[in-house]
Amino acid sequence: MNAAVEKAGRIVVVGSLNADLTIYCERLPLPGETVHGNGFAVNPGGKSANQAVAASRLGGIVSLVGAVGEDPNGAMLRSSAARAGVDVGCVRTVSEPTGVAVIAVDAGGENNIIISAGANGTLSPADVAEASGVLEQASVVCLCLEVGMETVLAAAKAGHDAGATVLLNLSPYGEVPEELTVLTDVLLVNAHEAALFLGGDSAAPGPGAPDSEWDRVRLRFAERGIRQVLVTLGSQGSVVLDSVAPEGSRVVRIAPTTVKAVDTTGAGDAFTGAVAVRLAAGDALAGAAAFASVAAALATTRKGTQAAYPEAADVARLLRA
């Protein structure tokens, strides 16, 4: 792979922008327990904003559709995305306060998160229609579930009608209508979300399960209309379930990238943004997943979210190592 990822088709990310209010501590508190923190930071975040910044830093041509408040957090989010090269012309400013995420991160880099939607809750199908100019040029449309389902559906339909690859990150998990699954080209889930989507923990084999078990999962997704699925397994890598590969339906395991994690917040969004970049550049899903594995691992080696995201050259160096 070249040291830099060439800019290819446009990526449009529709969804959330949040201010991340992060406190660092030795361990995460138990219910009802108070623990002492050892650091606090306010950083730009939100799943969609993170995915847009990650994709742009990796060489994508990215537009973001969303909403922020008339407050310092909104200004911070706009500025961070714009500095990363993201087109923020379709980010609307509203009277509601900017969305926030309250995050605790322990000494091992693990986290828990509480989100308040704020301005994200105002994003509507009308905003999607207003962004039709950029959506009509999209090669990939990235979606998650941090905004209303009607808005997600409208964006998926716009992407589908434009001939774009609709990439749905089923997070934070929620039930989705059949109409959305029909419009989805690539579904990105973790093992828990996969089990919930398919109905029961038995639907998600462990990382060490044989390919035959994962192939049964692939077939169950295909029965639901999802023919390309990426299941992330945290430190165990990921699995591609591809029912449309030119060489035939298959299961592809993506090895984990081993690093010393400092903060895992936003690593999944880095993964999604990286997948979008490589799909927009014409890669097959397995190749995009391998690239994304490295990008997401690198994102965990520094504190914060958007500021921690790597550039294409960083990923290329690790891929060559």
Side-chain angles (χ1 to χ4, degrees), residues 69-93:
E70 298 175 318
D71 50 38
N73 285 337
M76 172 189 67
L77 285 158
R78 280 180 173 278
S79 176
S80 177
R83 282 198 310 272
V86 177
D87 169 22
V88 295
C90 293
V91 176
R92 186 165 54 93
T93 301

Side-chain angles (χ1 to χ4, degrees), residues 11-71:
I11 298 161
V12 180
V13 186
V14 180
S16 58
L17 300 91
N18 289 325
D20 287 349
L21 313 182
T22 304
I23 189 163
Y24 297 92
C25 49
E26 284 302 308
R27 61 179 181 83
L28 301 177
L30 298 171
E33 182 185 21
T34 299
V35 299
H36 288 283
N38 52 31
F40 176 75
V42 179
N43 291 307
K47 293 191 71 65
S48 300
N50 289 347
Q51 291 166 13
V53 167
S56 185
R57 287 177 64 88
L58 290 168
I61 304 171
V62 186
S63 294
L64 178 60
V65 180
V68 295
E70 298 175 318
D71 50 38

Side-chain angles (χ1 to χ4, degrees), residues 117-129:
N120 295 314
T122 72
L123 195 68
S124 71
D127 295 302
V128 174

Side-chain angles (χ1 to χ4, degrees), residues 85-260:
V86 177
D87 169 22
V88 295
C90 293
V91 176
R92 186 165 54 93
T93 301
V94 301
S95 58
E96 293 287 328
T98 299
V100 296
V102 179
I103 306 168
V105 180
D106 71 12
E110 293 299 324
N111 63 68
N112 59 30
I113 304 173
I114 301 173
I115 294 173
S116 176
N120 295 314
T122 72
L123 195 68
S124 71
D127 295 302
V128 174
E130 187 71 20
S132 60
V134 294
L135 284 160
E136 287 168 359
Q137 302 172 37
S139 292
V140 176
V141 173
C142 274
L143 305 169
C144 71
L145 301 185
E146 282 190 343
V147 295
M149 185 56 68
E150 287 186 357
T151 304
V152 175
L153 271 170
K157 187 174 188 307
H160 176 79
D161 290 348
T165 296
V166 177
L167 172 60
L168 174 62
N169 180 202
L170 199 59
S171 178
Y173 182 80
E175 295 294 329
V176 295
E178 183 178 354
E179 183 182 358
L180 182 57
T181 63
V182 169
L183 294 169
T184 297
D185 296 296
V186 177
L187 184 69
L188 202 162
V189 289
N190 62 30
H192 178 64
E193 292 159 352
L196 291 172
F197 181 82
L198 295 175
D201 290 339
S202 61
D211 284 0
S212 58
E213 289 191 28
W214 281 107
D215 200 53
R216 283 195 289 272
V217 175
R218 178 188 63 77
L219 290 171
R220 292 194 63 189
F221 274 111
E223 289 168 0
R224 293 283 302 271
I226 307 290
R227 302 177 69 194
Q228 289 191 300
V229 184
L230 237 176
V231 183
T232 58
L233 303 172
S235 62
Q236 301 299 313
S238 58
V239 177
V240 175
L241 308 176
D242 195 340
S243 297
V244 296
E247 58 272 42
S249 300
R250 59 180 184 153
V251 172
V252 181
R253 296 174 185 270
I254 307 299
T257 301
T258 303
V259 296
K260 181 174 176 52

